[in-house]
Amino acid sequence: MRIGILSDTHGVFKDEWISNFKGCDYLIHAGDICTKACYDKFKSIGIPIYFVRGNCDCGDWAKYLPEFLQVPIGDKIFFIAHNQRDLPYDLTDADFIIFGHTHQYTNFERFGRVFLNPGSAGQPRGDLASMAILEFTNIHYEIRRIYL
């Protein structure tokens, strides 16, 4: 199973990104989509996608996006929030914690949980634009940073 993970696109959607999504079973967008046009383009890719609302996601199109989302994908539980501070205090059930907001790529494991910020796909600040691919093989996983 492969999951494409991105955040902080800030109204940017580049058609060349789609090649990075090939072979992905799911997509996760950790907020700051910023425009309905960008949101609609992601939804039209044809891959199931989970969105959370970022601090820059405003308007009617964004008001139903959750600030925090807990989803099972395969046999893993994903906690997704734009700002890491919006995550629940109790992360007991989480296997993967996905967040954005800082525009800085972060990937570490702590207390048996994986914390991942894929960086900013559309508006890097002091870092290169990026996303991540999370791939599962049997009981192992691999996270690859994809520079955009």
Side-chain angles (χ1 to χ4, degrees), residues 2-53:
R2 286 174 50 130
I3 302 170
I5 302 170
L6 66 165
S7 186
D8 296 284
T9 49
H10 286 275
V12 175
F13 183 98
K14 296 182 179 179
D15 290 329
E16 58 264 25
W17 294 351
I18 294 174
S19 64
N20 294 311
F21 305 142
K22 287 191 191 300
C24 286
D25 302 291
Y26 297 93
L27 297 176
I28 293 173
H29 194 301
D32 276 2
I33 307 150
C34 290
T35 67
K36 183 177 184 328
C38 189
Y39 173 73
D40 289 341
K41 282 196 169 204
F42 278 109
K43 284 184 13 179
S44 72
I45 293 174
I47 301 170
I49 184 166
Y50 296 100
F51 293 100
V52 292
R53 184 173 63 243

Side-chain angles (χ1 to χ4, degrees), residues 78-141:
F78 288 77
F79 282 19
I80 309 163
H82 179 61
N83 189 332
Q84 192 175 6
R85 294 180 183 163
D86 293 332
L87 289 163
Y89 179 73
D90 183 1
L91 300 175
T92 304
D93 295 335
D95 296 301
F96 290 87
I97 294 97
I98 309 296
F99 58 97
H101 189 60
T102 65
H103 295 226
Q104 302 293 312
Y105 181 85
T106 304
N107 176 11
F108 63 91
E109 190 169 330
R110 185 173 216 172
F111 305 118
R113 286 157 191 78
V114 176
F115 291 76
L116 175 64
N117 180 335
S120 174
Q123 195 179 70
R125 294 182 191 149
D127 198 359
L128 297 173
S130 67
M131 63 171 287
I133 299 289
L134 170 59
E135 187 164 4
F136 293 96
T137 56
N138 298 325
I139 60 171
H140 301 288
Y141 72 89

